[in-house]
Amino acid sequence: MIYKNFQDLKLSALGMGAMRLPVLNQDDSSIDEETAAKMVAYAMESGVNYYDTAWGYHGGNSELAMGRILSGYPRESFYLADKFPGYDLSNMDKIETIFPEQLKKCQVTYFDFYLFHNVCEMNIDAYLDKKYGIFEYLSQRKKEGQIRHLGFSAHGSYDVMKRFLEAYGEHMEFCQIQLNYLDWDFQDAKRKVELLQEYQIPVWVMEPLRGGKLASLKEEDAAQLQALRPEEKIPAWAFRFLQSIPSVTMILSGMSNEEQLKENIRTFQEDKPLNQEEMDTLLNLADTMVKRIALPCTACRYCVSHCPQHLDIPDLLALYNEHCFTEGGFLAPMALSAIPEDKRPGACIGCGSCEAVCPQQIKISEAMADFNEKLNQ
Ligand code: SF4
Ligand code: SF4
């Protein structure tokens, strides 16, 4: 197992995420605890010392299952991460009950790592609002030793992350973002990594395989990679990409079966960053994969002043691209929930004024109608 230095700790470069544990009867809230326990045992034996859970994973049962499983190991033999569930605004005034409950569910007296969960457009105001005092409460827990290291996870845009960092950056010890070779440009991940570097905050990675999308590729795409490293398995490319980014300290993978876990652990026996040719090939491939589905908006903003509905067309198209590429998911609906109703795709009246000036000749009105339909499905 590769280890990374984080302050005075040695963290396994691969962490076990407990959001996609094996389940029974395809019911997300019924964790197959026997199999999960075997997976944790194998991970422990293989040197994985970081385990990541959250209030909302598996309908609230991830914390309970991980608590029961990890209670069989000495407390100092693993690092446990948990998060404040601010992705749900109704939790904002409940931190004083949620945090102690989390310690109880996980059967621990302290968390090694604790995060503001999912800082995004929808909750940034509340997270920064002194009325709720989330930061103040968590800082106090840290002073008292119930939190060893404080950080945040972010699914929001670069600008949202910047706002959060401007407020609390000097107190944040790590940041978890969605990072993989596909999102390097597509989701602005490169700029987010650079922003974190400005604050000297190490990167924790979530979605290294983009929900499994990068675990298997189309035959012609896979062939390009295999020509360069015939022995490397396709999922390993996603991990090798991350091993090439110096500020990446922790890579979390939500593994649902023993086979995935074993495969990932094999990959992390060796640090094998990509060389320049491999990196260029991989990023070109990512570009091709995105272009197959995404609209080629360059965010030039020529169209914006022509829209009688004053829609932020490039921003909406970026969300549309994400939504189409992911075939649904929560990111676009979450970002749209922070936008007034009359600025969402459904407000487009199909006048076509924008299309007349778009240098990319994007059929914007069709995209808005399709987006609206997809959101209402
Ligand atoms: S078609 Fe829709 S997005 Fe384009 S200018 Fe008209 S209202 Fe705005
Ligand atoms: S004019 Fe076309 S390319 Fe430019 S921002 Fe608008 S939709 Fe995107």
Side-chain angles (χ1 to χ4, degrees), residues 95-113:
I95 189 150
E96 290 182 20
T97 52
I98 288 176
F99 183 81
E101 179 68 17
Q102 288 180 302
L103 288 172
K104 215 156 92 192
K105 285 173 80 183
C106 293
Q107 304 190 28
V108 293
T109 53
Y110 66 91
F111 290 117
D112 303 277
F113 294 85

Side-chain angles (χ1 to χ4, degrees), residues 306-309 311 313 347-355 364-365 368:
H306 294 263
C307 178
Q309 299 295 88
L311 302 185
I313 297 168
C348 169
I349 54 172
C351 67
S353 309
C354 51
E355 293 168 19
I364 300 166
S365 55
M368 293 296 167

Side-chain angles (χ1 to χ4, degrees), residues 193-309:
V193 168
E194 286 165 358
L195 177 64
L196 291 168
Q197 259 161 10
E198 282 172 33
Y199 285 84
Q200 296 183 321
I201 295 177
V203 176
W204 262 226
V205 172
M206 55 183 158
E207 298 294 1
L209 296 170
R210 214 181 203 271
K213 242 190 163 63
L214 305 180
S216 60
L217 301 177
K218 276 172 172 268
E219 219 173 290
E220 70 258 34
D221 296 343
Q224 282 190 51
L225 302 180
Q226 275 150 358
L228 294 169
R229 282 191 189 190
E231 78 291 354
E232 203 80 271
K233 295 252 170 58
I234 292 305
W237 278 88
F239 294 117
R240 300 296 179 218
F241 168 77
L242 296 168
Q243 288 175 356
S244 315
I245 303 169
S247 59
V248 167
T249 301
M250 169 60 55
I251 300 173
L252 288 161
S253 187
M255 297 163 270
S256 321
N257 57 54
E258 291 173 88
E259 201 189 319
Q260 277 172 8
L261 173 71
K262 286 180 181 170
E263 184 57 45
N264 288 349
I265 286 173
R266 255 197 300 278
T267 304
F268 278 80
Q269 296 310 307
E270 214 185 332
D271 212 351
K272 278 203 287 181
L274 304 178
N275 63 32
Q276 197 56 50
E277 186 192 6
E278 291 164 342
M279 181 63 91
D280 292 346
T281 306
L282 196 63
L283 291 178
N284 278 337
L285 183 60
D287 194 41
T288 310
M289 287 165 69
V290 169
K291 279 187 182 141
R292 272 189 205 127
I293 292 173
L295 295 175
C297 174
T298 58
C300 67
R301 304 191 70 81
Y302 294 159
C303 54
V304 175
S305 60
H306 294 263
C307 178
Q309 299 295 88

Side-chain angles (χ1 to χ4, degrees), residues 33-54:
E33 225 168 290
E34 204 185 317
T35 310
K38 275 193 210 153
M39 289 171 67
V40 170
Y42 185 84
M44 286 278 191
E45 279 163 28
S46 309
V48 174
N49 61 12
Y50 191 99
Y51 297 83
D52 170 87
T53 186

